[in-house]
Amino acid sequence: MTTLGPQDFTQVHLSITPSFTRYRRALPAAPALRIVSSSRQRTEEGDVKLINTDGMVFIGPGSEWLWAALTGLVLAGTGVAIYRQLRVQQLQIHDNTKLLRSQAHYNAMLLAQRPWEMLIENEALASVMNVAYATPEALSADDWSRCSAYMFMQFNAWEYFYYQHRDGSIPKELWVGADGYYKALVATKPGYARFWSESQASFDEPFRSDTTREFAKKSASADAASAAA
């Protein structure tokens, strides 16, 4: 039996190594790991980029676009807040206007109705006023003074209607009815002509001129009727 020494094992190893190397096959390379950004979404056709973040700078030079966008958002939010505030104020103004119109309407009705209430409450005053309407010269100075004060209250109410209508503070329908009533008094009650000749200086323009024209229309109608007769 032959004994092998260390040098013999070295020769055997060298003789086997080429044969093992010849039959060894190269392992396939591991596939490269592909990292897809969160801004992409995989579909059947491939990768679709929803937001392109390539080259974006968020801090430092080149980030001006970010601050411009934030500024735009802040301005948009401020604009929405201002619009809502203006809308609320508009509603408040509308409600306040309705309240003021209601108050003006109420005040006008109080002024107009008070002389009627006085006639209802005071029978003697009603009798004197009926004389004053038709023949004011037939009254004594004291009675005419009472009647003149009564008519002054009526014309105060007419003046209030007049200016509230000009300001748009009362409904048009209310003004049309009140104005028609007072013009009818001027046209049909001679005693108001005496009152106006004595008291018109107590009223200011333009109400005074407009009322004077109404009395002038009555005088013109009376002159035309006399001429026709």
Side-chain angles (χ1 to χ4, degrees), residues 33-45:
L33 180 61
R34 185 177 185 183
I35 299 177
V36 180
S37 172
S38 60
S39 61
R40 297 186 179 184
Q41 179 180 358
R42 181 173 296 279
T43 62
E44 294 180 357
E45 293 78 7

Side-chain angles (χ1 to χ4, degrees), residues 97-160:
T97 301
K98 290 177 61 177
L99 180 62
L100 292 174
R101 284 172 60 89
S102 298
Q103 185 63 46
H105 190 162
Y106 178 75
N107 293 340
M109 295 303 297
L110 283 181
L111 290 174
Q113 292 180 5
R114 181 53 187 160
W116 294 335
E117 293 172 357
M118 294 172 62
L119 290 181
I120 295 172
E121 296 169 355
N122 192 330
E123 182 178 355
L125 176 62
S127 298
V128 173
M129 286 304 304
N130 284 330
V131 177
Y133 288 149
T135 55
E137 65 278 357
L139 295 174
S140 65
D142 292 340
D143 286 341
W144 172 247
S145 179
R146 294 178 63 191
C147 294
S148 179
Y150 178 87
M151 293 178 179
F152 196 93
M153 294 176 63
Q154 288 183 305
F155 273 66
N156 271 340
W158 190 8
E159 184 185 35
Y160 183 83

